[in-house]
Amino acid sequence: MGNTFGKLFTLTTFGESHGAAVGGVIDGMPAGIDIDLDFIQSELNRRRPGQSKLTTSRKEADKVELLSGVFEGKSTGCPIGFIVRNENQHSQDYENLRTLFRPSHADFTYYNKFGVRDHRGGGRSSARITISRVVGGALAKLALRQTGISIQAYTSQVGNIALERDYHQYDLSLTETNAVRCPDAEKAEEMAALIEQVKAEGDTIGGVITCVIKGCPVGLGEPEFNKLHAQLGSAMLGINAVKGFEYGEGFAGIAQRGSEQNDRFTVGHGSSVTTLTNHSGGIQGGISNGQDIYFRVAFKPVATLLRSQETVDLEGNPTTFTAHGRHDPCVLPRAVPVVEAMAAMVILDNYLCLSAYKK
């Protein structure tokens, strides 16, 4: 259970970190969408390991193979099956983890729920499974191109090094110009230095990714249990290592008065109704209001440390261990495309629901 995401546009994933492959099936992709395989691969390249000295050194091409649902470069409306083969597993690096529980990993909970677990890289709980989400998100982005909706995420904080909260202050097109994926070059250098420092110490560091969605029409989301911000929050909190989600002004807004927070309505260009401010983050009453949707996602420090840690084995006996293998000292740079992918699938799913309402 729990391996399928979405309502009309759905993604069902399969695979483990050290299995033969990871992959998925997309259902609900509209027919006639141009399928740009190079774009899908480029999205995977943004997520893949080994892309800089700030990430794990695991070398994977992460080449996607589309198995169905595409004919002569266009989606057919049928399920799109895809696969990405694992090619550079070092399963022996995890042999010392076979009989113990790693702190802050899913080892203990998986073992107690299922009675069995794959100790090699975390198996199904590994962040490598997000490959399928990135492919699904890339396909969703291709469909959203026809609607004028764009999605841009970026690293806005690593440790205590943070950008200002207002995304309008930055040229988000610069996000891909550095390994941290931060649109501020000076801050990006500071963030990179911090990541390298904690890596040298065998430690890890967390941070925040900000995401901005532009061009959404009014009406995405539902008024009760499927509010748009709740769907986005659920999608983000389902990403490995995510510990927090806030949209609009979020927690910072509680220090202000209602007179400061309220987004007053006015008439804009073409006699359309708009708001003077956007403290609400583009969502009111759980439904998009046509303004930019923006939110922040907090990622904890990676739980795997290359230093000695105390834990217990399967029998509950105290022990210590040191992790081996290749691990990210900070997940933020590779998580940016994952955040975008999950947002794209949520927005497309709701766009299709809105279209169904209007028929």
Side-chain angles (χ1 to χ4, degrees):
M1 297 177 65
N3 296 304
T4 299
F5 178 82
K7 299 185 290 293
L8 296 184
F9 181 89
T10 66
L11 166 67
T12 301
T13 72
F14 65 84
E16 296 85 32
S17 175
H18 286 234
V22 296
V25 176
I26 293 286
D27 205 358
M29 182 73 170
I33 303 297
D34 290 327
I35 302 301
D36 185 344
L37 187 58
D38 288 338
F39 172 74
I40 298 171
Q41 188 61 55
S42 70
E43 292 292 274
L44 280 173
N45 291 345
R46 296 170 68 208
R47 194 225 71 95
R48 69 176 174 82
Q51 58 185 276
S52 79
K53 61 183 179 181
L54 303 181
T55 68
T56 170
S57 60
R58 179 171 175 168
K59 298 294 184 182
E60 292 278 5
D62 285 352
K63 185 174 178 58
V64 63
E65 304 171 41
L66 300 185
L67 307 176
S68 62
V70 179
F71 179 67
E72 295 183 340
K74 292 186 180 292
S75 58
T76 64
C78 298
I80 298 177
F82 63 89
I83 192 171
V84 174
R85 301 182 189 277
N86 295 326
E87 298 175 339
N88 190 226
Q89 311 99 309
H90 288 181
S91 298
Q92 67 277 8
D93 289 343
Y94 298 87
E95 190 57 33
N96 66 324
L97 308 179
R98 181 184 290 273
T99 61
L100 55 80
F101 300 124
R102 295 170 296 170
S104 290
H105 283 77
D107 299 349
F108 175 78
T109 51
Y110 269 50
Y111 184 74
N112 278 272
K113 181 177 178 66
F114 300 109
V116 63
R117 69 179 177 93
D118 185 346
H119 67 282
R120 305 166 303 167
R124 185 69 172 157
S125 67
S126 169
R128 184 155 179 78
I129 307 306
T130 59
I131 282 175
S132 299
R133 303 181 185 212
V134 172
V135 175
L139 288 164
K141 283 184 178 182
L142 290 174
L144 289 173
R145 281 181 180 178
Q146 299 187 3
T147 71
I149 297 172
S150 65
I151 300 169
Q152 175 71 68
Y154 60 94
T155 299
S156 55
Q157 182 170 348
V158 173
N160 60 358
I161 302 170
L163 302 185
E164 297 294 331
R165 297 176 66 86
D166 190 352
Y167 63 90
H168 293 97
Q169 299 179 25
Y170 304 97
D171 180 355
L172 302 189
S173 68
L174 299 176
T175 298
E176 295 295 318
T177 61
N178 56 76
V180 184
R181 294 199 162 89
C182 172
D184 184 308
E186 185 175 337
K187 288 287 188 180
E189 288 187 7
E190 295 179 30
M191 293 174 180
L194 177 57
I195 294 172
E196 290 184 50
Q197 176 189 335
V198 299
K199 179 180 181 180
E201 296 170 352
D203 215 332
T204 61
I205 193 76
V208 176
I209 289 175
T210 297
C211 187
V212 182
I213 306 172
K214 294 179 175 289
C216 283
V218 178
L220 302 186
E222 304 298 334
E224 183 58 18
F225 294 114
N226 284 313
K227 290 179 168 63
L228 184 58
H229 58 269
Q231 293 183 55
L232 286 167
S234 177
M236 299 306 144
L237 290 165
I239 299 172
N240 304 59
V242 169
K243 287 296 186 180
F245 169 85
E246 62 174 1
Y247 74 103
E249 290 295 313
F251 286 101
I254 66 170
Q256 295 182 319
R257 305 286 180 92
S259 56
E260 298 173 291
Q261 276 285 298
N262 283 355
D263 294 319
R264 291 172 291 165
F265 290 104
T266 187
V267 177
H269 297 293
S271 300
S272 61
V273 175
T274 185
T275 58
L276 294 173
T277 56
N278 188 21
H279 301 296
S280 301
I283 303 172
Q284 293 172 325
I287 298 172
S288 62
N289 66 3
Q291 301 299 309
D292 291 351
I293 296 171
Y294 61 96
F295 58 85
R296 288 167 296 281
V297 187
F299 286 79
K300 72 172 184 176
V302 176
T304 300
L305 310 181
L306 299 182
R307 56 167 64 179
S308 179
Q309 296 186 78
E310 296 179 353
T311 188
V312 299
D313 62 20
L314 302 186
E315 305 299 325
N317 301 309
T319 185
T320 60
F321 83 105
T322 300
H324 304 295
R326 301 154 297 175
H327 306 281
D328 288 284
C330 178
V331 74
L332 275 296
R334 296 176 60 208
V336 167
V338 181
V339 168
E340 290 180 2
M342 296 306 295
M345 288 191 284
V346 169
I347 296 300
L348 178 58
D349 201 16
N350 280 272
Y351 190 91
L352 296 174
C353 289
L354 179 62
S355 299
Y357 273 124
K358 292 184 176 181
K359 288 183 178 179

